[in-house]
Amino acid sequence: NITYLHAKDLLQVLSGDVREDRRLGGNELLTIPNRAAFVGSGNNVTYDEEHAGRLVVCRLDAGVENPRLRDKTFKHPDLFAWVKAHRPELVAALLTIIQSWLAASRPAYTGKRLAGFEAWSNVVGGILQHAKVDGFLDNRDEVMRRAEQSQEEDVEFVAAWHACLTAAPPTLSGDVKTKDLLTTVGMTAALPTPKKSEAITTIALGRYLERQVDKIRTLDGGAQVVIRRGEGDKHTKTQRWKLVVLKKGGKQEQCEVPPQEPDEVPF
């Protein structure tokens, strides 16, 4: 039941042939062949572009408000029991489709491929294309578009930071504290929404910034920027951040600087 897909370990497993990890309860390092298939489900799952490049997405639409309560007679009401009872025929059918492709000298696949998984795309796509099964990876553009949409808040936040950086006079330039970003950029309502209902706090924003380090963003107007780690405070060990402009753009956003509260309030 996935809501937001974000896991560095999963990224490594999905793109690696082997997995190295420490044996539980010991110090022995194990090298395990990666032969696993990972399947997940969720309602309107969101994911970033890194994960999108490793996903094959299948979207189901029941066409009703509550699929569990739909009054519909299926061809196989008890699907799990039917699959177990007919497993030999199903496996034989799959092997026949594969053997047909092999017997035809493996005709080349001509459709879209999953970048980084070209060999897999060519084999699976070739088998399906030869069997006249259309639609393999046809939704790649939509998958990537949804990943980009999930990053819109990120772009809004970085754009607000960039606007303050390029304002006259500039603010938030150089190495800045997470707290300063929270109070200044937060006034523009551009802070990214934390995952798992996390509150908008300095800690939450710091975690978000850790995930965004070295990611290049292209803003409206053509400017390209990237978040880098700044030099932390030697005394408090507080991490600082900086926004580096890689390419200047034509359009300049307006920076809204929150009013400073006076030190003394006259009576």
Side-chain angles (χ1 to χ4, degrees), residues 2 12 21 87 105 138 140:
I2 302 169
Q12 295 174 357
D21 209 340
R87 184 178 184 278
S105 300
D138 274 359
R140 287 305 302 156

Side-chain angles (χ1 to χ4, degrees), residues 108-114 121-122 125 129 136-138:
Y109 175 56
T110 59
K112 292 185 177 181
R113 292 168 175 78
L114 188 61
S121 300
N122 288 333
Q129 184 175 274
F136 179 62
L137 296 181
D138 274 359

Side-chain angles (χ1 to χ4, degrees), residues 231-246:
E231 292 191 14
D233 191 299
K234 296 180 180 179
H235 300 288
T236 63
K237 307 297 183 182
T238 303
Q239 179 63 59
R240 300 192 183 216
W241 315 92
K242 58 184 175 182
L243 189 68
V244 178
V245 179
L246 303 177

Side-chain angles (χ1 to χ4, degrees), residues 11-246:
L11 288 175
Q12 295 174 357
V13 171
L14 292 179
S15 57
D17 295 329
V18 295
R19 174 67 176 173
E20 290 187 350
D21 209 340
R22 182 177 58 83
R23 182 190 291 274
L24 188 63
N27 296 322
E28 182 185 1
L29 186 64
L30 301 178
T31 301
I32 307 167
N34 182 13
R35 301 288 184 264
F38 294 84
V39 181
S41 64
N43 187 11
N44 291 327
V45 178
T46 58
Y47 42 81
D48 58 26
E49 293 177 70
E50 283 188 282
H51 286 80
R54 295 165 169 82
L55 298 179
V56 176
V57 177
C58 176
R59 185 169 180 83
L60 304 178
D61 184 0
V64 295
E65 181 179 1
N66 194 333
R68 295 178 182 274
L69 301 179
R70 58 187 162 182
D71 184 14
K72 181 177 177 61
T73 302
F74 292 93
K75 183 176 181 179
H76 304 296
D78 190 348
L79 183 60
F80 290 116
W82 184 87
V83 168
K84 292 179 70 173
H86 294 80
R87 184 178 184 278
E89 301 105 291
L90 293 171
V91 173
L94 290 171
L95 293 176
T96 301
I97 293 173
I98 296 170
Q99 187 59 42
S100 174
W101 177 69
L102 294 172
S105 300
R106 306 185 183 193
Y109 175 56
T110 59
K112 292 185 177 181
R113 292 168 175 78
L114 188 61
F117 301 86
E118 288 81 4
W120 175 84
S121 300
N122 288 333
V123 172
V124 178
I127 293 169
L128 293 174
Q129 184 175 274
H130 181 66
K132 305 269 190 300
V133 178
D134 299 325
F136 179 62
L137 296 181
D138 274 359
N139 64 346
R140 287 305 302 156
D141 293 343
E142 175 64 19
V143 170
M144 296 306 297
R145 187 185 67 80
R146 289 189 61 193
E148 291 170 357
Q149 280 185 336
S150 70
Q151 304 300 310
E152 285 180 358
E153 288 179 336
D154 301 340
V155 175
E156 183 182 355
F157 168 77
V158 175
W161 187 355
H162 177 256
C164 293
L165 187 69
T166 56
T171 58
L172 299 179
S173 58
D175 298 347
V176 296
K177 298 179 182 178
T178 308
K179 181 180 179 181
D180 295 335
L181 285 170
L182 182 67
T183 55
T184 302
V185 179
M187 293 298 292
T188 67
L191 285 173
T193 303
K195 309 307 177 193
K196 300 180 181 180
S197 301
E198 201 174 32
I200 302 287
T201 62
T202 304
I203 295 176
L205 182 57
R207 290 173 181 161
Y208 163 81
L209 291 167
E210 286 285 356
R211 298 194 298 267
Q212 303 307 312
V213 168
D214 297 335
K215 288 186 179 181
I216 297 175
R217 303 288 186 193
T218 301
L219 310 178
D220 289 343
Q224 282 191 340
V225 298
V226 60
I227 296 175
R228 306 283 195 199
R229 287 187 181 88
E231 292 191 14
D233 191 299
K234 296 180 180 179
H235 300 288
T236 63
K237 307 297 183 182
T238 303
Q239 179 63 59
R240 300 192 183 216
W241 315 92
K242 58 184 175 182
L243 189 68
V244 178
V245 179
L246 303 177

